[in-house]
Amino acid sequence: MRKIKKISLLLILLTLFALFGIGIALAASGPELVIPSNVQAQANSYVDIPVEFRSNGTLVSNITFSINYDSTWLNFNEGDPLAVTFSLPIDFSSSDCWEAVSGEIQCIVSPGLKPVLPTVPSGVFLTLRLETLNAPDGTRADVFFDDNPIASFGGPDGQAVPDGSTTDGSVYFGEINWFVFLPLLIKQTPIPTTVTPTPVTPTPVTPTPVTPTPETPTPVTPTPETPTPPPACSNIILNGGFEEPDVAWYLPITNYPARYVDAVKYAGSYSMRTGINIAPDVGSYSSAWQLISIPNDALSAELTFYYKPQTEEPLALRLLSGVINRTSKVPLEITSDDPPLYDRQLVLILNQDESVNTVLMNDLSNTRTWTASGVQNLIYFKGQSVWLYFASLNNGNGQRTAMYIDEVMLEVCR
């Protein structure tokens, strides 16, 4: 009988799945972030890591997440102009990534604050460039999503989008030989041997009757389940409705400082006005600050507020937002030797040294209506104290810009 060599396709696939992270993903029911496995790299160079968003039929306008990488073999250089490259529509100009600690990159995908929030399209929306260190060929360095906190997704209605998921990836140093690991299963068909059977005379067996014994059921007393108490939540913003003038908010003295006002408000008797509404236009930063501390054991931290923007500037300038350097300090006032080109309406998170950490809004709007901000996720700042910063910037060209703020809340659940 001839021998037949047979390759087990199933075994080949299973080997690929185990060695190279190639698998068949179950259809996700919610939004998904994906980093590919075994992105090929060479030592002492760099590697570009694509991050893909899959909507899976959901509508997502905001994403916050952290990516960890193996710092033994990889390094993130924020000074590299190609360290972070977003592939998003222009509406998402408030998106940013930065290294919070060595080996952890935090990212926010956000359109800022707009009356109608756009949605993130499916596809590769972010490329991170990592420097590769002196790793020997065959080294695999993990690049994965942090689960503390987990990635979160916000919809265009300002509410959280449930059932989000992430898929981790890796970097592989050197050439990948896809065939060296493929096991071949050689199956040999045995040559049949003729065997003469010996006749056997069966011995009859007399069955022994069995009388069944009835079972007495043992009563079981159900143990009541103790429900898990819901997390305790509280608003940690002080005087968020601005009903107590000169309480909790820092209003720097500038050419035209921010003020508590009673003529325009969303609720209660007062709101906060930043910028210039009726007075002659002058070059000025007009801002309101509050130092916030998010507890280290926080499970969530969600910022919401209402704002009413107005401007006399041409709205075509809203696309000319300029660049807000994340590591530079926010100026308290405009200097005559370096006046800004455009008016802006700003909502920022500042570090304690007053340098910019996160841009929540960098816009120029004239809706002149009260608008809900939607939920801004600040959980990445747990265990930290940072400044919440509202401002309107006027460049003194005779066209005034202002923004009113009211009902600021930062709900922290623990």
Side-chain angles (χ1 to χ4, degrees):
M1 178 70 91
R2 62 190 180 89
K3 298 179 181 179
I4 301 175
K5 294 183 179 180
K6 183 178 180 182
I7 300 177
S8 171
L9 179 60
L10 177 60
L11 191 56
I12 292 174
L13 291 175
L14 290 176
T15 304
L16 284 171
F17 300 160
L19 291 174
F20 299 106
I22 301 175
I24 301 174
L26 298 176
S29 60
E32 185 180 10
L33 296 177
V34 178
I35 299 173
S37 294
N38 298 296
V39 179
Q40 194 169 347
Q42 300 297 324
N44 302 311
S45 183
Y46 64 85
V47 60
D48 289 332
I49 308 295
V51 184
E52 180 185 0
F53 169 70
R54 299 174 183 173
S55 67
N56 296 318
T58 61
L59 298 178
V60 172
S61 296
N62 293 275
I63 312 173
T64 56
F65 57 95
S66 286
I67 292 178
N68 295 338
Y69 61 88
D70 187 345
S71 57
T72 305
W73 309 116
L74 302 170
N75 180 61
F76 181 67
N77 180 8
E78 285 190 86
D80 185 343
L82 297 178
V84 177
T85 303
F86 283 102
S87 303
L88 288 167
I90 193 171
D91 286 334
F92 289 88
S93 59
S94 294
S95 302
D96 194 12
C97 288
W98 64 95
E99 187 163 47
V101 295
S102 178
E104 179 181 345
I105 304 169
Q106 294 183 357
C107 296
I108 293 179
V109 176
S110 173
L113 304 178
K114 293 179 171 60
V116 178
L117 295 180
T119 56
V120 181
S122 292
V124 174
F125 69 95
L126 169 64
T127 301
L128 295 175
R129 174 162 291 188
L130 299 179
E131 296 175 342
T132 56
L133 306 182
N134 192 25
D137 284 355
T139 300
R140 182 174 288 106
D142 292 330
V143 182
F144 56 96
F145 292 97
D146 199 345
D147 58 3
N148 184 26
I150 61 173
S152 63
F153 303 85
D157 58 355
Q159 302 301 311
V161 178
D163 301 323
S165 62
T166 56
T167 301
D168 298 333
S170 59
V171 170
Y172 185 85
F173 286 83
E175 299 292 332
I176 299 177
N177 187 342
W178 293 92
F179 295 98
V180 72
F181 298 104
L182 300 184
L184 300 182
L185 179 62
I186 310 301
K187 183 176 181 181
Q188 178 177 339
T189 303
I191 300 175
T193 303
T194 303
V195 178
T196 304
T198 302
V200 178
T201 304
T203 302
V205 179
T206 304
T208 302
V210 178
T211 303
T213 302
E215 294 185 1
T216 303
T218 302
V220 178
T221 304
T223 303
E225 294 185 2
T226 303
T228 302
C233 302
S234 61
N235 173 28
I236 66 170
I237 292 291
L238 301 177
N239 195 24
F242 305 102
E243 300 302 304
E244 302 176 75
D246 303 322
V247 173
W249 294 93
Y250 168 51
L251 309 180
I253 302 301
T254 62
N255 290 339
Y256 202 86
R259 284 289 181 263
Y260 295 83
V261 295
D262 58 4
V264 180
K265 65 266 188 181
Y266 176 78
S269 301
Y270 292 90
S271 73
M272 177 65 67
R273 179 216 20 94
T274 66
I276 304 172
N277 53 348
I278 56 176
D281 188 27
V282 294
S284 178
Y285 272 91
S286 177
S287 57
W289 311 34
Q290 184 170 142
L291 189 65
I292 56 176
S293 298
I294 300 177
N296 194 49
D297 60 350
L299 301 176
S300 64
E302 297 182 340
L303 172 69
T304 58
F305 55 90
Y306 287 85
Y307 67 105
K308 182 179 179 180
Q310 63 184 58
T311 185
E312 297 171 347
E313 293 273 16
L315 291 184
L317 296 179
R318 73 180 305 177
L319 299 179
L320 304 176
S321 60
V323 176
I324 296 180
N325 295 321
R326 196 178 58 78
T327 57
S328 63
K329 289 189 176 183
V330 171
L332 295 180
E333 187 54 289
I334 292 174
T335 57
S336 58
D337 57 342
D338 187 24
L341 295 177
Y342 316 111
D343 290 5
R344 307 306 302 168
Q345 293 143 343
L346 302 171
V347 183
L348 309 174
I349 299 297
L350 308 180
N351 299 312
Q352 288 195 61
D353 65 358
E354 302 175 7
S355 61
V356 179
N357 186 302
T358 301
V359 179
L360 298 181
M361 183 175 78
N362 176 16
D363 204 0
L364 185 64
S365 176
N366 190 39
T367 63
R368 296 181 183 258
T369 59
W370 285 105
T371 304
S373 66
V375 175
Q376 306 293 314
N377 187 359
L378 301 187
I379 189 61
Y380 285 111
F381 301 106
K382 71 177 184 178
Q384 303 179 47
S385 294
V386 292
W387 289 100
L388 176 60
Y389 174 93
F390 297 97
S392 292
L393 165 61
N394 281 271
N395 63 2
N397 67 350
Q399 296 170 313
R400 297 165 296 194
T401 294
M403 180 172 63
Y404 297 90
I405 305 294
D406 207 354
E407 297 303 299
V408 183
M409 295 184 63
L410 178 52
E411 186 177 72
V412 172
C413 297
R414 307 166 73 175

Coordinates of all heavy atoms in Angstrom, one line a residue, residues 111-176:
P111 N -13.5 66.4 18.8 CA -13.8 67.5 17.9 C -13.9 68.8 18.7 O -14.2 69.9 18.1 CB -15.1 67.1 17.3 CG -15.8 66.4 18.4 CD -14.8 65.6 19.1
G112 N -13.6 68.8 20.0 CA -13.8 70.0 20.8 C -15.3 70.1 21.1 O -16.1 69.2 21.1
L113 N -15.7 71.4 21.4 CA -17.1 71.6 21.7 C -17.7 72.3 20.5 O -17.4 73.4 20.1 CB -17.1 72.5 22.9 CG -16.4 72.0 24.2 CD1 -16.5 73.0 25.3 CD2 -16.9 70.7 24.6
K114 N -18.7 71.6 20.0 CA -19.4 72.1 18.8 C -20.9 71.8 19.0 O -21.3 70.9 19.7 CB -18.9 71.4 17.5 CG -17.5 71.8 17.1 CD -17.1 71.1 15.9 CE -15.7 71.6 15.4 NZ -14.7 71.5 16.4
P115 N -21.8 72.7 18.4 CA -23.3 72.4 18.6 C -23.7 71.1 18.1 O -24.5 70.4 18.6 CB -23.9 73.6 17.7 CG -22.8 74.6 17.7 CD -21.5 73.9 17.7
V116 N -23.1 70.6 16.9 CA -23.3 69.3 16.4 C -22.0 68.6 16.3 O -21.1 69.0 15.6 CB -24.0 69.3 15.0 CG1 -24.2 67.9 14.4 CG2 -25.3 70.1 15.1
L117 N -21.9 67.4 17.0 CA -20.6 66.7 17.1 C -20.4 65.8 15.9 O -21.3 65.0 15.6 CB -20.5 65.9 18.4 CG -20.4 66.8 19.7 CD1 -20.3 65.8 20.9 CD2 -19.3 67.7 19.7
P118 N -19.3 65.9 15.2 CA -19.1 64.9 14.1 C -18.7 63.5 14.7 O -18.4 63.4 15.9 CB -17.9 65.5 13.3 CG -17.2 66.3 14.4 CD -18.2 66.8 15.3
T119 N -18.7 62.5 13.8 CA -18.4 61.2 14.3 C -17.1 60.7 13.6 O -16.7 61.1 12.5 CB -19.5 60.2 13.9 OG1 -19.8 60.2 12.5 CG2 -20.8 60.5 14.7
V120 N -16.4 59.8 14.4 CA -15.1 59.3 13.9 C -15.3 58.2 12.8 O -16.1 57.3 13.1 CB -14.3 58.7 15.1 CG1 -13.0 58.2 14.6 CG2 -14.2 59.7 16.2
P121 N -14.7 58.4 11.7 CA -14.9 57.3 10.6 C -14.1 56.1 10.9 O -13.0 56.2 11.6 CB -14.4 58.0 9.4 CG -13.4 59.0 9.8 CD -13.9 59.5 11.2
S122 N -14.5 54.9 10.5 CA -13.8 53.7 10.7 C -12.5 53.8 9.8 O -12.5 54.4 8.8 CB -14.6 52.5 10.3 OG -15.7 52.3 11.2
G123 N -11.5 53.1 10.3 CA -10.2 53.0 9.6 C -9.1 53.4 10.5 O -9.3 53.7 11.7
V124 N -7.9 53.4 10.0 CA -6.7 53.8 10.7 C -6.7 55.3 10.9 O -6.7 56.1 10.0 CB -5.4 53.4 10.0 CG1 -4.2 54.0 10.7 CG2 -5.3 51.9 9.9
F125 N -6.9 55.8 12.2 CA -7.0 57.2 12.5 C -5.8 57.8 13.1 O -5.7 59.0 13.3 CB -8.2 57.4 13.4 CG -8.1 56.9 14.8 CD1 -7.6 57.7 15.8 CD2 -8.3 55.5 15.1 CE1 -7.5 57.2 17.1 CE2 -8.1 55.0 16.3 CZ -7.7 55.9 17.4
L126 N -4.8 56.9 13.5 CA -3.7 57.4 14.3 C -2.5 56.5 13.9 O -2.6 55.3 13.9 CB -4.0 57.3 15.8 CG -2.8 57.5 16.7 CD1 -2.2 58.9 16.6 CD2 -3.2 57.3 18.2
T127 N -1.3 57.1 13.8 CA -0.1 56.4 13.6 C 0.9 56.9 14.6 O 1.2 58.1 14.7 CB 0.5 56.6 12.2 OG1 -0.4 56.1 11.2 CG2 1.8 55.8 12.0
L128 N 1.5 56.0 15.5 CA 2.5 56.4 16.5 C 3.8 55.9 16.0 O 4.0 54.7 15.6 CB 2.1 55.8 17.8 CG 0.8 56.2 18.5 CD1 0.6 55.4 19.7 CD2 0.9 57.7 18.8
R129 N 4.8 56.8 16.0 CA 6.2 56.4 15.6 C 7.0 56.2 16.9 O 7.1 57.1 17.7 CB 6.8 57.5 14.7 CG 8.3 57.2 14.4 CD 8.8 58.0 13.3 NE 8.2 57.6 12.0 CZ 8.6 58.0 10.8 NH1 9.5 58.9 10.7 NH2 8.0 57.5 9.7
L130 N 7.5 55.0 17.0 CA 8.3 54.6 18.2 C 9.7 54.3 17.7 O 9.9 53.7 16.6 CB 7.7 53.3 18.8 CG 6.3 53.4 19.4 CD1 5.9 52.1 20.0 CD2 6.2 54.5 20.4
E131 N 10.7 54.8 18.5 CA 12.1 54.5 18.2 C 12.3 53.1 18.6 O 11.9 52.6 19.7 CB 13.0 55.5 18.9 CG 12.8 56.9 18.5 CD 13.7 57.8 19.3 OE1 14.1 57.5 20.4 OE2 13.9 59.0 18.9
T132 N 13.1 52.3 17.8 CA 13.5 50.9 18.2 C 14.9 50.9 18.7 O 15.8 51.6 18.2 CB 13.4 50.0 16.9 OG1 14.2 50.5 15.9 CG2 11.9 50.0 16.4
L133 N 15.1 50.2 19.8 CA 16.4 50.1 20.4 C 17.1 48.8 19.9 O 16.7 48.2 19.0 CB 16.2 50.1 22.0 CG 15.3 51.3 22.5 CD1 15.2 51.2 24.0 CD2 15.9 52.6 22.0
N134 N 18.2 48.5 20.6 CA 19.1 47.4 20.1 C 18.5 46.1 20.5 O 19.1 45.3 21.3 CB 20.5 47.6 20.7 CG 21.5 46.8 20.0 OD1 21.3 46.4 18.8 ND2 22.6 46.4 20.7
A135 N 17.4 45.7 19.9 CA 16.8 44.4 20.2 C 17.3 43.3 19.2 O 17.5 43.6 18.0 CB 15.3 44.5 20.1
P136 N 17.6 42.1 19.7 CA 18.1 41.1 18.8 C 16.9 40.6 17.9 O 15.8 40.7 18.3 CB 18.5 40.0 19.7 CG 17.8 40.2 21.0 CD 17.7 41.7 21.1
D137 N 17.3 40.1 16.7 CA 16.2 39.6 15.8 C 15.5 38.5 16.5 O 16.0 37.7 17.3 CB 16.9 39.0 14.5 CG 17.3 40.1 13.6 OD1 17.0 41.3 13.9 OD2 17.9 39.8 12.6
G138 N 14.2 38.4 16.3 CA 13.3 37.5 16.9 C 12.6 38.0 18.2 O 11.8 37.3 18.7
T139 N 13.0 39.2 18.6 CA 12.4 39.8 19.8 C 11.0 40.3 19.4 O 10.8 40.9 18.4 CB 13.2 41.0 20.3 OG1 14.5 40.5 20.6 CG2 12.6 41.6 21.5
R140 N 10.0 40.1 20.3 CA 8.7 40.6 20.1 C 8.4 41.5 21.3 O 8.5 41.2 22.5 CB 7.6 39.4 20.1 CG 6.2 39.9 19.9 CD 5.2 38.8 19.7 NE 5.4 38.1 18.4 CZ 6.0 37.0 18.3 NH1 6.5 36.3 19.3 NH2 6.1 36.4 17.0
A141 N 8.1 42.8 21.0 CA 7.8 43.8 22.0 C 6.3 44.1 22.0 O 5.8 44.5 20.9 CB 8.6 45.1 21.7
D142 N 5.7 44.0 23.1 CA 4.2 44.3 23.2 C 3.9 45.8 23.1 O 4.6 46.6 23.6 CB 3.6 43.7 24.5 CG 3.7 42.2 24.6 OD1 3.6 41.6 23.5 OD2 3.9 41.7 25.7
V143 N 2.8 46.0 22.4 CA 2.2 47.4 22.3 C 0.7 47.2 22.5 O 0.0 46.5 21.7 CB 2.4 48.0 20.9 CG1 1.8 49.4 20.9 CG2 3.9 48.1 20.6
F144 N 0.2 47.6 23.7 CA -1.1 47.2 24.1 C -1.9 48.3 24.8 O -1.3 49.3 25.3 CB -1.0 46.0 25.1 CG -0.2 46.2 26.3 CD1 -0.7 46.6 27.5 CD2 1.2 46.1 26.2 CE1 0.1 46.9 28.6 CE2 2.0 46.4 27.3 CZ 1.5 46.7 28.5
F145 N -3.2 48.2 24.8 CA -4.0 49.2 25.4 C -4.1 49.0 26.9 O -4.2 47.9 27.4 CB -5.5 49.1 24.9 CG -5.6 49.5 23.4 CD1 -5.6 48.5 22.4 CD2 -5.7 50.8 23.1 CE1 -5.6 48.9 21.1 CE2 -5.8 51.2 21.8 CZ -5.8 50.2 20.8
D146 N -4.0 50.1 27.7 CA -4.0 50.1 29.1 C -5.5 49.8 29.5 O -6.4 50.2 28.9 CB -3.6 51.4 29.7 CG -3.2 51.3 31.2 OD1 -3.5 50.3 31.8 OD2 -2.5 52.2 31.7
D147 N -5.6 49.0 30.6 CA -7.0 48.7 31.1 C -7.3 49.5 32.4 O -8.3 49.2 33.1 CB -7.2 47.2 31.3 CG -6.2 46.6 32.3 OD1 -5.3 47.4 32.8 OD2 -6.2 45.4 32.5
N148 N -6.4 50.4 32.8 CA -6.7 51.2 34.0 C -6.2 52.7 33.8 O -5.1 53.0 34.1 CB -5.9 50.6 35.2 CG -6.2 51.4 36.5 OD1 -7.3 51.9 36.6 ND2 -5.3 51.4 37.4
P149 N -7.1 53.5 33.2 CA -8.5 53.2 32.9 C -8.6 52.5 31.5 O -7.7 52.7 30.7 CB -9.2 54.5 32.9 CG -8.1 55.5 32.4 CD -6.8 54.9 33.0
I150 N -9.8 51.9 31.2 CA -10.0 51.3 29.9 C -10.4 52.4 28.9 O -10.7 53.5 29.3 CB -11.1 50.2 30.0 CG1 -12.4 50.9 30.5 CG2 -10.8 49.1 30.9 CD1 -13.6 50.0 30.4
A151 N -10.2 52.0 27.7 CA -10.6 53.0 26.6 C -12.1 53.3 26.7 O -12.9 52.4 27.1 CB -10.4 52.4 25.2
S152 N -12.5 54.6 26.5 CA -13.9 55.0 26.6 C -14.3 55.7 25.3 O -13.5 56.3 24.7 CB -14.1 55.9 27.8 OG -13.3 57.1 27.7
F153 N -15.6 55.6 25.0 CA -16.1 56.1 23.8 C -17.3 57.0 24.1 O -18.2 56.6 24.9 CB -16.5 55.0 22.8 CG -15.4 54.0 22.5 CD1 -15.1 52.9 23.4 CD2 -14.7 54.1 21.4 CE1 -14.1 52.0 23.1 CE2 -13.6 53.2 21.1 CZ -13.4 52.2 21.9
G154 N -17.4 58.1 23.5 CA -18.5 59.0 23.7 C -19.3 59.3 22.4 O -18.6 59.4 21.3
G155 N -20.6 59.3 22.4 CA -21.4 59.5 21.2 C -21.7 61.0 20.9 O -21.3 61.9 21.7
P156 N -22.3 61.3 19.8 CA -22.6 62.7 19.4 C -23.6 63.3 20.3 O -23.8 64.5 20.3 CB -23.1 62.5 18.0 CG -23.5 61.1 17.8 CD -22.6 60.3 18.7
D157 N -24.3 62.5 21.1 CA -25.3 63.0 22.1 C -24.7 63.4 23.4 O -25.3 63.8 24.4 CB -26.4 62.0 22.3 CG -26.0 60.7 22.8 OD1 -24.7 60.5 22.9 OD2 -26.8 59.8 23.1
G158 N -23.3 63.2 23.5 CA -22.6 63.4 24.8 C -22.7 62.3 25.8 O -22.1 62.4 26.9
Q159 N -23.3 61.2 25.4 CA -23.4 60.1 26.3 C -22.4 59.0 26.0 O -21.9 58.9 24.9 CB -24.8 59.5 26.3 CG -25.9 60.4 26.6 CD -25.8 61.0 28.0 OE1 -25.6 60.3 29.0 NE2 -25.8 62.4 28.1
A160 N -22.0 58.2 27.0 CA -21.1 57.1 26.8 C -21.6 56.0 25.8 O -22.8 55.7 25.9 CB -20.7 56.5 28.1
V161 N -20.8 55.5 25.0 CA -21.2 54.4 24.0 C -20.7 53.1 24.7 O -19.5 52.9 24.9 CB -20.5 54.6 22.7 CG1 -20.9 53.5 21.7 CG2 -21.0 55.9 22.0
P162 N -21.7 52.2 25.0 CA -21.3 50.9 25.7 C -20.6 49.9 24.8 O -20.6 50.1 23.5 CB -22.6 50.4 26.2 CG -23.6 50.9 25.2 CD -23.1 52.3 24.7
D163 N -20.2 48.8 25.4 CA -19.6 47.6 24.7 C -18.4 47.9 23.9 O -18.2 47.3 22.9 CB -20.7 47.0 23.8 CG -22.0 46.6 24.6 OD1 -21.8 46.1 25.8 OD2 -23.1 46.7 24.1
G164 N -17.6 48.9 24.3 CA -16.3 49.2 23.6 C -15.3 48.1 23.9 O -15.4 47.5 25.0
S165 N -14.4 47.9 23.0 CA -13.4 46.8 23.2 C -12.1 47.3 22.5 O -12.0 48.2 21.7 CB -13.8 45.5 22.6 OG -14.1 45.6 21.2
T166 N -11.0 46.6 22.9 CA -9.7 46.9 22.3 C -9.0 45.6 21.9 O -9.2 44.5 22.6 CB -8.8 47.7 23.3 OG1 -8.7 46.9 24.5 CG2 -9.4 49.0 23.6
T167 N -8.1 45.6 21.0 CA -7.3 44.4 20.6 C -5.8 44.9 20.6 O -5.5 45.8 19.9 CB -7.7 43.9 19.2 OG1 -9.0 43.5 19.2 CG2 -6.8 42.7 18.8
D168 N -5.0 44.2 21.4 CA -3.6 44.6 21.5 C -2.8 44.1 20.4 O -3.1 43.2 19.6 CB -3.1 44.0 22.9 CG -3.8 44.5 24.1 OD1 -4.3 45.6 24.0 OD2 -3.9 43.8 25.1
G169 N -1.6 44.7 20.3 CA -0.7 44.3 19.2 C 0.8 44.1 19.7 O 1.0 44.0 20.9
S170 N 1.7 44.1 18.7 CA 3.1 43.9 19.1 C 4.0 44.3 17.9 O 3.6 44.6 16.8 CB 3.4 42.5 19.5 OG 3.1 41.6 18.4
V171 N 5.3 44.5 18.2 CA 6.3 44.7 17.2 C 7.3 43.5 17.2 O 7.7 43.0 18.2 CB 7.1 46.0 17.6 CG1 8.4 46.2 16.7 CG2 6.2 47.2 17.5
Y172 N 7.6 43.1 16.0 CA 8.5 42.0 15.8 C 9.8 42.4 15.1 O 9.8 43.1 14.1 CB 7.9 40.9 14.9 CG 8.7 39.6 14.8 CD1 8.6 38.6 15.8 CD2 9.6 39.4 13.7 CE1 9.4 37.5 15.7 CE2 10.4 38.3 13.6 CZ 10.3 37.3 14.6 OH 11.0 36.2 14.5
F173 N 11.0 42.2 15.7 CA 12.2 42.6 15.2 C 12.8 41.5 14.3 O 12.9 40.4 14.7 CB 13.2 42.9 16.4 CG 12.9 44.1 17.1 CD1 12.0 44.1 18.2 CD2 13.6 45.3 16.8 CE1 11.7 45.3 18.8 CE2 13.3 46.5 17.5 CZ 12.4 46.5 18.5
G174 N 13.2 42.0 13.1 CA 13.8 41.1 12.1 C 12.8 40.6 11.1 O 11.7 41.0 11.1
E175 N 13.3 39.7 10.2 CA 12.5 39.1 9.2 C 11.6 38.0 9.8 O 12.1 37.2 10.6 CB 13.3 38.6 8.0 CG 14.2 39.6 7.3 CD 13.4 40.6 6.6 OE1 12.3 40.3 6.1 OE2 13.8 41.8 6.4
I176 N 10.4 38.0 9.3 CA 9.5 36.9 9.7 C 9.4 35.9 8.7 O 9.0 36.1 7.5 CB 8.0 37.5 10.0 CG1 8.1 38.5 11.1 CG2 7.1 36.4 10.4 CD1 6.7 39.2 11.3

